[in-house]
Amino acid sequence: MWRVRRELAAFKILGALVCAGLGVFWWFEDDLRGVILAVPATVLLGAMALRDLLVPVRLSADESGITVVHGFAGKRHVPWEAIWDIKVDVRRRWGLRSEMLEIDTGDNLHIFSPHELGTSPTEVAAALRRRGT
């Protein structure tokens, strides 16, 4: 079972509260540009935090297959036979290395970041490959 780290969800909640506070402050200061910036930031961070609270487990595996988050807060069970490929996409840009776990089921491509998994996608891919065979 791989889940979003609680610290990351807490930072998103804190960020949404700060943006909301700035929006209220700018509202009383009659700064329309500040309000226009703060409202979408508050909504976006709030939605991201809400998703982390509603579905903290983004990927889990059992004997029958894997369960992945699908859409905002839905879940989808995928049997092992339906999984075509499990790989890690590694990219280097501006001296930084990023990894994304890709699970290809033919109809869908499920992509997970290290932040969603709470650990390295390489480790998760290895664990899934061991479990799926």
Side-chain angles (χ1 to χ4, degrees):
M1 175 167 57
W2 295 277
R3 62 184 307 132
V4 175
R5 291 182 21 219
R6 289 187 180 108
E7 300 86 18
L8 186 59
F11 281 127
K12 290 176 186 175
I13 292 168
L14 182 63
L17 291 174
V18 167
C19 288
L22 285 171
V24 170
F25 172 76
W26 286 326
W27 176 265
F28 288 116
E29 292 291 316
D30 290 329
D31 184 0
L32 185 60
R33 283 184 275 180
V35 174
I36 290 172
L37 289 174
V39 169
T42 301
V43 170
L44 180 64
L45 282 170
M48 291 168 53
L50 180 63
R51 183 176 191 218
D52 289 350
L53 294 174
L54 291 176
V55 265
V57 176
R58 299 299 167 90
L59 174 66
S60 62
D62 58 19
E63 298 80 29
S64 63
I66 63 170
T67 303
V68 297
V69 172
H70 185 73
F72 185 77
K75 292 185 179 182
R76 175 179 286 172
H77 183 76
V78 180
W80 289 113
E81 303 83 41
I83 298 174
W84 289 12
D85 192 21
I86 298 172
K87 69 178 184 176
V88 177
D89 181 35
V90 179
R91 306 228 175 183
R92 296 183 197 315
R93 186 174 178 152
W94 296 332
L96 299 174
R97 182 177 187 268
S98 67
E99 295 180 341
M100 298 292 273
L101 175 67
E102 296 180 357
I103 301 174
D104 188 0
T105 61
D107 295 335
N108 294 301
L109 181 63
H110 303 281
I111 301 174
F112 300 94
S113 71
H115 302 294
E116 290 180 300
L117 299 170
T119 187
S120 167
T122 303
E123 295 173 15
V124 176
L128 290 174
R129 287 185 192 117
R130 282 192 305 270
R131 189 142 204 183
T133 56

